[in-house]
Amino acid sequence: MSLSKNEKELLRRLGLGKENAKPTKEIIRGLPITERGARDILRRLAIKYSIPITGLRNKATNGLFIATTQTELLEGVTSLINQISEEQKRVTALANSDPKKSRELIKELLE
């Protein structure tokens, strides 16, 4: 198994356990990659190697971490399911939208 330099460094910088969660900006500080690039790399590592990389965005925890307990893993999975649900609402709204009616609605809203 061979990881790129950036993959190795991102993996090293991830905290173990949610008490060591770090925002993506903090994880990538000093690295030649963007936040989106880092999230893509971490997503690939999680999928390819089944590393329990997860994240939470709430008052108590805000950031990414490697889950070390089943409870942390379930919290991360629940958070991801909620995110998927919200994105599905957006997909449905876009699929059902009418560009012409939307332009008219925007004009009304901006009056």
Side-chain angles (χ1 to χ4, degrees), residues 2-5 9 14-15 30 36-37 45-46 49 52 55 59-60 63 72-73 85 87 89 92 99 102 106 108-109:
S2 180
L3 298 179
S4 73
K5 225 171 133 177
E9 190 57 33
L14 279 176
R36 181 171 285 199
L45 289 172
Y49 299 107
K59 291 179 184 176
E72 289 177 353
L73 184 59
S85 175
E87 289 298 320
K89 291 176 190 175
T92 300
S102 294
I106 291 167
E108 280 181 43
L109 291 170

Side-chain angles (χ1 to χ4, degrees), residues 65-85:
F65 60 96
I66 298 173
T68 57
T69 67
Q70 196 64 27
T71 300
E72 289 177 353
L73 184 59
L74 290 175
E75 284 182 86
V77 168
T78 300
S79 178
L80 188 55
I81 289 169
N82 291 338
Q83 183 179 346
I84 291 167
S85 175

